[in-house]
Amino acid sequence: MTDASTTTVGLLDAARARLAGSPRERLGDWAANRRILGIGRAPRILPVTEAWHVGVLLIGDDRVFATGEVLRARHDAVRGYTAEAQRARSERAAAAFRGGFAEGEVLHLGWAEMDAAAVDRGESSGILSLVDGVPHVAWSTTGPPRPLAAYLDDMLSLR
């Protein structure tokens, strides 16, 4: 029988206990673009859930996600940009504001839900995997996966 403190689910539950009372950030997703009386609405990003942002992980009450893009919602305004990527990012921030995020609120977009129980069964799920029976997280695209327990300890010690 595996000790719960060494399973992916157990490590995430222990992290949740340590994070209790800490502020969370909301996750958003694009709203289906509806037409009202034949007129299209501006794109919006709606709040979906909230989670603690712990490095490359977003830890919710009973779910875990890999981070995507981190945005700060802001009111749409005419701005001059030298780069198209900067303009597109500003448009996403304005879409979040239109969707109900407060001015200046941090939100996560493009996140991916992972299955911690599947990892404990030996399957990979997103950036989580088992390496020699030990839960690991791929915290960098270029580096090797790191043991999840050590990663969480390091990230939570910074709080």
Side-chain angles (χ1 to χ4, degrees):
M1 186 164 164
T2 306
D3 180 13
S5 66
T6 62
T7 66
T8 308
V9 171
L11 291 168
L12 292 171
D13 285 344
R16 287 180 185 101
R18 287 177 66 180
L19 289 162
S22 298
R24 299 181 194 205
E25 296 172 357
R26 294 198 289 174
L27 284 63
D29 202 3
W30 290 99
N33 208 359
R34 297 184 331 192
R35 298 179 76 77
I36 298 176
L37 299 173
I39 301 169
R41 296 177 65 180
R44 295 170 299 130
I45 297 171
L46 299 176
V48 175
T49 189
E50 59 182 29
W52 290 285
H53 185 189
V54 182
V56 296
L57 299 173
L58 295 164
I59 302 174
D61 285 333
D62 56 358
R63 298 158 58 188
V64 64
F65 310 89
T67 59
E69 180 180 17
V70 180
L71 291 171
R72 189 172 298 275
R74 68 175 184 222
H75 189 272
D76 198 10
V78 178
R79 296 177 173 91
Y81 296 102
T82 58
E84 187 59 33
Q86 192 178 17
R87 179 183 313 280
R89 183 172 176 81
S90 180
E91 289 171 1
R92 290 189 298 276
F97 181 78
R98 284 190 300 272
F101 289 91
E103 176 82 28
E105 181 180 357
V106 173
L107 68 128
H108 298 269
L109 182 65
W111 41 269
E113 187 169 358
M114 297 177 291
D115 185 348
V119 174
D120 289 337
R121 292 190 303 268
E123 305 166 28
S124 290
S125 184
I127 60 174
L128 296 175
S129 64
L130 281 184
V131 177
D132 296 327
V134 177
H136 277 63
V137 60
W139 59 280
S140 165
T141 57
T142 58
R146 182 170 179 203
L148 181 60
Y151 180 80
L152 289 172
D153 281 342
D154 285 351
M155 290 289 112
L156 295 177
S157 71
L158 299 174
R159 291 181 166 259

